């Protein structure tokens, strides 16, 4: 499930026509404030979020709101932006987004970025749902994760590279 949040009906429809044929269910949302509510109900695998939103909140504020909410903080957000004209990359990642797509977008790039992040979401879910993996992750402790010198191994004083 992919949620597309953008003030432009044209952008939402163009992204929907790009994403649906790849097999994703798509939810179209016209404004950031509405996205905060719908994300809690729909629990999408990924949110494509336009930076320039109508109303009081811009995409950065919406992303920050999603990350503050315990129900939506794990949902990856990809910001849609005209990067060179409006914003810098640092601000994108500071807001909590996992990635960005510059508009106008490339179909192949959109599908590749979505595919990567949805695969990561599915892998996290699988790890959490596998009792052995979850138990193993919880059972790791400081004794098992020690630098080599703490286990009695000698550190090399120098490494020669030819």
């Amino acid at each position: 499930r992919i949620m597309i949040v953008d003030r432009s009906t044209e952008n939402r429809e163009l992204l929907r026509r790009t994403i649906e044929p790849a097999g994703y269910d798509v939810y179209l949302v016209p404004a950031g404030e509405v996205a905060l509510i719908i994300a809690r109900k729909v629990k999408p695998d990924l949110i494509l979020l336009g930076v320039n939103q109508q109303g009081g909140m811009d995409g950065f504020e919406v992303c920050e709101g999603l990350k503050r909410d315990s129900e939506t903080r794990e949902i990856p957000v990809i910001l849609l932006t005209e990067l060179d004209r409006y914003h810098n990359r640092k601000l994108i990642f500071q807001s909590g987004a996992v990635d960005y797509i510059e508009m106008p977008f490339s179909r192949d790039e959109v599908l590749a970025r979505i595919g990567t992040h949805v695969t990561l979401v599915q892998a996290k879910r699988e790890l959490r749902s596998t009792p052995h993996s979850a138990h193993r992750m919880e059972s790791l402790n400081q004794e098992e994760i020690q630098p080599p010198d703490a286990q009695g191994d000698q550190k090399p004083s120098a490494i020669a590279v030819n």
Side-chain angles (χ1 to χ4, degrees):
R1 294 175 309 259
I2 309 294
M3 190 165 90
I4 301 170
V5 185
D6 197 280
R7 69 179 179 179
S8 165
T9 302
E10 183 180 328
N11 284 349
R12 288 192 311 270
E13 281 300 316
L14 190 56
L15 284 161
R16 182 190 60 76
R17 287 193 308 267
T18 299
I19 296 167
E20 277 184 342
Y24 297 106
D25 292 326
V26 175
Y27 298 84
L28 302 178
V29 181
E33 292 87 354
V34 177
L36 293 171
I37 297 165
I38 293 177
R40 295 183 104 224
K41 293 179 182 181
V42 172
K43 303 255 191 291
D45 297 314
L46 177 77
I47 298 173
L48 296 177
L49 175 61
V51 169
N52 299 314
Q53 296 292 322
Q54 290 178 349
M57 299 177 81
D58 66 21
F60 296 115
E61 293 168 316
V62 173
C63 189
E64 289 166 357
L66 289 164
K67 298 307 168 184
R68 280 191 303 269
D69 186 332
S70 62
E71 301 246 351
T72 59
R73 77 171 40 116
E74 295 295 320
I75 301 170
V77 176
I78 297 177
L79 288 177
L80 307 170
T81 182
E82 295 179 20
L83 194 64
D84 294 332
R85 290 181 57 194
Y86 298 107
H87 306 287
N88 65 44
R89 289 173 182 87
K90 183 178 177 183
L91 189 55
I92 288 170
F93 295 111
Q94 284 176 337
S95 71
V98 297
D99 209 344
Y100 65 92
I101 295 171
E102 290 185 54
M103 301 294 277
F105 66 86
S106 153
R107 176 191 175 280
D108 292 338
E109 179 183 3
V110 167
L111 293 175
R113 291 180 189 264
I114 288 172
T116 296
H117 292 290
V118 168
T119 298
L120 288 171
V121 166
Q122 292 168 342
K124 283 181 184 179
R125 282 186 190 142
E126 191 174 313
L127 276 174
R128 287 183 183 135
S129 69
T130 306
H132 177 72
S133 296
H135 177 70
R136 177 70 182 135
M137 287 170 51
E138 290 173 12
S139 70
L140 290 175
N141 60 41
Q142 280 300 80
E143 293 174 16
E144 294 178 74
I145 306 173
Q146 292 183 358
D149 63 325
Q151 298 171 354
D153 298 335
Q154 292 292 327
K155 284 186 178 179
S157 58
I159 298 174
V161 179
N162 293 331

